Amino acid sequence: MTVGEVHAAVEQAWEGLRSGAATGGKAVLSLPEDEFWRQPDFAPFRDGFADQRLGWKLSALYCVNARYGAVKIIGANAFNRRLGYPRSTSTIVLMDKYTLRPLSVLDGTNLSAMRTGTYASRFVDGFRARYSRVALFLFGTGPVARSVIECLSYSSADLVADIFVRSRTLDGAQRFVSEMAGRSAIPLQAVADNRRLAECSIVVTASNARQPVFEDAEVAPDAAGLHLGGDEVPEAYLRRVLRTGVVGCDDTKTVSRRNSQSLALFFSRSGLSLETVGPLLGIRELSSSHEWEAAEQGPVSLTCVGLPALDLYVAAACYEKFCAARRQRVELR
């Protein structure tokens, strides 16, 4: 799948969600980190994960639309990287909707990262009326961060002038920038700290950090933030944006019930629920609004958990592309 084909499939997914043609859900089984670190083979490595979450969990995303059904199974653990594996591995089973018999089994790991990257395209494009050129600060150097850069290169190279990349180490950020240089239409610069953050109109967090990756005072007052990871942003930042700007998510119910990202945790730590309080506070949803319309001024914070419909439509597009290629080969014979 090309980046353009993924964007086209995701656009169909958003149309399906808003029209009611696509519906689905998500189940997550989070496993206790202490159990993992009690294993003799893993215990010696614990100190190396002091500043990042394992994110050890088994998840299932399921969805149907007018023609297909799909289930994406995700196994995730940050320790996998030490074993030479991706942090998370996704498998998508695509089915006929009416019989619910499998049509195809796809390795969904790269497809999943690409569909997540399209959130950045949608988010950044919402600020074309506000900005002519922007600098963007990106936290993270994993598969989602790669996809963010590829998607922005496809959709927004005329708007994003520079991307500053920060990882846990400067060396990691520099390796990432070197790897991505030939795949990015936007200049990339590795940074060791947050000093350039105040210059950036847009901030994207796509890390696996155990605690917030910036302080509220470090961010430009009117900056727009897209949050694709876990508990990455400080409470002071969310409190300020709730008071003076626009807060949104891709789906309030899904983000609330997962309860692993800063927005949901902001409420649950006070004994409240994003699902209950969100509508009262005017928190917006990508899945219900006709278009994501950014405010003309003031801060914006958007948290996205990744909706099952996006996986379904991207997997279906991949399957249909494969079938078309196979038919063409048969005809050529």
Side-chain angles (χ1 to χ4, degrees):
M1 296 287 284
T2 67
V3 177
E5 289 168 340
V6 172
H7 276 77
V10 166
E11 284 303 310
Q12 292 180 357
W14 288 115
E15 292 174 9
L17 283 167
R18 292 176 182 137
S19 68
T23 182
K26 185 171 187 175
V28 179
L29 177 62
S30 295
L31 302 172
E33 291 194 11
D34 285 345
E35 178 186 344
F36 182 86
W37 294 123
R38 284 198 299 268
Q39 304 305 307
D41 290 345
F42 306 138
F45 301 95
R46 184 167 190 166
D47 290 346
F49 287 80
D51 61 347
Q52 63 175 310
R53 299 173 299 113
L54 284 181
W56 187 27
K57 59 193 175 186
L58 175 63
S59 307
L61 285 70
Y62 45 91
C63 185
V64 296
N65 64 9
R67 184 174 179 183
Y68 298 106
V71 177
K72 182 172 81 169
I73 305 161
I74 313 165
N77 188 334
F79 191 83
N80 287 341
R81 295 195 186 104
R82 284 192 173 271
L83 304 175
Y85 303 131
R87 185 190 70 84
S88 65
T89 300
S90 298
T91 304
I92 302 175
V93 181
L94 184 70
M95 295 167 279
D96 171 75
K97 177 182 180 177
Y98 294 101
T99 64
L100 291 179
R101 290 178 58 82
L103 297 170
S104 181
V105 178
L106 302 92
D107 182 342
T109 304
N110 289 335
L111 292 178
S112 184
M114 285 303 299
R115 64 83 152 136
T116 304
T118 65
Y119 279 107
S121 297
R122 177 171 290 271
F123 183 72
V124 170
D125 278 356
F127 292 93
R128 289 187 176 276
R130 187 195 285 199
Y131 303 115
S132 57
R133 293 285 277 172
V134 298
L136 185 148
F137 202 103
L138 172 62
F139 289 95
T141 55
V144 171
R146 291 189 188 94
S147 178
V148 165
I149 290 173
E150 290 175 347
C151 288
L152 290 177
S153 294
Y154 169 80
S155 68
S156 310
D158 62 324
L159 178 60
V160 181
D162 296 283
I163 297 178
F164 300 101
V165 180
R166 185 177 180 193
S167 185
R168 280 185 292 274
T169 66
L170 176 59
D171 183 58
Q174 289 172 333
R175 286 198 305 271
F176 176 81
V177 166
S178 177
E179 173 192 341
M180 293 299 299
R183 298 157 62 181
S184 176
I186 303 169
L188 307 175
Q189 182 176 333
V191 295
D193 51 43
N194 289 351
R195 280 182 288 183
R196 306 299 296 266
L197 188 57
E199 305 171 20
C200 297
S201 300
I202 298 178
V203 181
V204 178
T205 59
S207 77
N208 195 41
R210 190 179 292 275
Q211 60 276 322
V213 292
F214 62 85
E215 299 291 338
D216 184 39
E218 295 178 311
V219 184
D222 286 353
L226 171 64
H227 312 301
L228 302 173
D231 191 11
E232 303 173 296
V233 302
E235 290 190 4
Y237 163 81
L238 287 172
R239 193 176 297 112
R240 176 174 63 85
V241 182
L242 281 165
R243 186 178 67 253
T244 64
V246 173
V247 176
C249 58
D250 49 358
D251 184 78
T252 301
K253 183 184 296 184
T254 306
V255 173
S256 179
R257 295 184 181 181
R258 182 178 178 185
N259 198 39
S260 65
Q261 294 169 293
S262 299
L263 180 61
L265 291 168
F266 176 81
F267 294 103
S268 66
R269 286 167 177 159
S270 301
L272 302 172
S273 164
L274 170 64
E275 187 176 354
T276 303
V277 178
L280 302 177
L281 296 178
I283 292 177
R284 301 183 185 179
E285 291 183 297
L286 286 180
S287 57
S288 62
S289 63
H290 292 292
E291 286 294 338
W292 169 256
E293 295 181 0
E296 293 183 2
Q297 58 185 359
V300 177
S301 175
L302 179 67
T303 297
C304 297
V305 72
L307 299 184
L310 276 61
D311 296 298
L312 168 60
Y313 280 81
V314 172
C318 186
Y319 171 71
E320 290 175 355
K321 182 178 181 180
F322 167 77
C323 290
R326 185 172 59 179
R327 285 194 299 270
Q328 185 179 32
R329 285 198 300 270
V330 169
E331 290 170 0
L332 289 174
R333 289 175 187 171

